[in-house]
Amino acid sequence: MCIRDRMYCGELKGFAGLSEEKEVREISVQNYMSRFLCEALIQCFERMKDVGERVQQIKAMIEFCIETKLHNYLFTDIASIFEKYGLESHFISSLEPYILTEQLKQTSIPKSMCDKIVNYYISKDKLETLEKIILSLNLEKQDLECLGSICLQNKMFSALIYIKGLSENTYQYMEPSLYMHNEMRQLRKANNFSANDLDMQSLISSHIAMREANKSYTYLGYKILWYIDKCFSGERFPKRCYSMPFST
């Protein structure tokens, strides 16, 4: 792999008749390495029985594929090997730091893999992390309607703002503020109770719940104002290289 890295970076341009042109050389090396990596990975997993060792191999493979721009193979051929050996959940969790540091923000992850990532974090009840992951991904080729429904259902409003901003329907960018306002109304309605109807323990629990609800209520209010300001100024959220439907 060290030699392959040097070939890819152009340090051994004349090796095995590789082209002097960067793009041609990279494609040639990528095609060869995709086959080599799959074969090497299977051999490693057949030899390694310890899950910890296999997870380390997964992390090394992710980093290598990102470094050498083998993203397509990582989420197709290589990912299928992880699935075959029952390591798909380890693969998804190992992707997390690379996604959150936006090392994959220019990569269009296949829809099937994106669905698995979303379902994994929902099953683990890690919604805050899932929202950060959605905000860090390129979603142009994903099912935005389905993702939007998931975000709305789980009240991930920041991710919802991102998704609605990518919609081909220009007017969908207004929807997040309406959903957030409706959520504020529901929070206020849920907190309208009579103290006389509660015993002391329930009253204490209700006050704690109310305090948390008030925090959410205030937070949503500020977020609505922040989002309206974004809309009027035509700013993107999050900032990406591709265009948003509302712009000045």
Side-chain angles (χ1 to χ4, degrees):
M1 286 190 180
C2 291
I3 294 176
R4 184 254 179 249
D5 268 342
R6 295 180 64 189
M7 292 163 58
Y8 184 85
C9 295
E11 295 179 20
L12 299 174
K13 288 183 284 190
F15 186 81
L18 288 173
S19 173
E20 292 284 334
E21 297 183 20
K22 182 175 182 293
E23 292 185 1
V24 175
R25 181 179 67 251
E26 289 179 353
I27 291 173
S28 299
V29 176
Q30 284 176 353
N31 291 335
Y32 165 74
M33 282 306 296
S34 63
R35 297 190 299 271
F36 169 78
L37 289 175
C38 289
E39 294 173 2
L41 192 59
I42 291 173
Q43 292 178 10
C44 285
F45 285 162
E46 288 296 328
R47 187 176 68 255
M48 296 175 180
K49 301 302 179 183
D50 181 70
V51 175
E53 291 182 351
R54 288 182 168 184
V55 170
Q56 290 302 315
Q57 187 64 40
I58 290 173
K59 292 178 179 178
M61 188 63 67
I62 292 172
E63 190 164 345
F64 182 80
C65 288
I66 290 176
E67 181 67 25
T68 53
K69 301 178 182 178
L70 288 168
H71 307 102
N72 290 336
Y73 300 105
L74 175 62
F75 294 112
T76 52
D77 297 353
I78 295 175
S80 67
I81 296 174
F82 296 147
E83 183 179 6
K84 175 183 176 181
Y85 285 88
L87 298 166
E88 190 170 61
S89 61
H90 293 291
F91 173 49
I92 293 173
S93 62
S94 297
L95 282 171
E96 183 178 315
Y98 299 96
I99 295 175
L100 294 180
T101 53
E102 298 194 341
Q103 295 185 55
L104 293 169
K105 68 178 181 180
Q106 301 298 336
T107 304
S108 181
I109 295 177
K111 181 183 178 301
S112 58
M113 179 54 63
C114 185
D115 291 344
K116 290 177 180 178
I117 291 173
V118 171
N119 291 332
Y120 170 80
Y121 282 96
I122 289 177
S123 69
K124 298 292 183 181
D125 196 28
K126 299 176 67 175
L127 298 179
E128 185 176 348
T129 302
L130 174 58
E131 184 167 35
K132 292 177 181 178
I133 284 175
I134 292 174
L135 289 169
S136 302
L137 288 176
N138 181 335
L139 302 179
E140 287 188 304
K141 295 184 179 180
Q142 304 302 326
D143 186 341
L144 297 181
E145 185 175 348
C146 180
L147 274 177
S149 297
I150 292 172
C151 290
L152 180 59
Q153 181 180 353
N154 293 284
K155 302 175 184 178
M156 297 186 292
F157 294 114
S158 294
L160 184 65
I161 289 172
Y162 173 32
I163 291 167
K164 292 299 182 181
L166 293 172
S167 173
E168 294 180 357
N169 185 339
T170 307
Y171 297 100
Q172 282 200 14
Y173 76 88
M174 298 185 295
E175 292 183 8
S177 58
L178 300 177
Y179 290 134
M180 286 187 286
H181 181 258
N182 183 63
E183 178 64 17
M184 289 179 68
R185 292 177 61 187
Q186 294 298 322
L187 285 170
R188 178 54 58 91
K189 183 179 179 180
N191 285 329
N192 289 333
F193 62 88
S194 173
N196 295 325
D197 297 332
L198 302 173
D199 57 37
M200 183 56 69
Q201 186 174 357
S202 298
L203 185 60
I204 293 173
S205 299
S206 296
H207 276 301
I208 294 174
M210 184 188 298
R211 187 165 61 246
E212 293 302 315
N214 284 337
K215 288 182 181 178
S216 299
Y217 186 88
T218 303
Y219 172 75
L220 284 171
Y222 280 122
K223 176 165 280 190
I224 290 173
L225 293 175
W226 165 82
Y227 182 56
I228 291 174
D229 179 67
K230 287 278 186 183
C231 291
F232 278 121
S233 60
E235 294 183 45
R236 302 171 183 176
F237 176 78
K239 292 185 178 180
R240 291 288 189 272
C241 60
Y242 40 87
S243 62
M244 301 283 275
F246 52 97
S247 58
T248 54

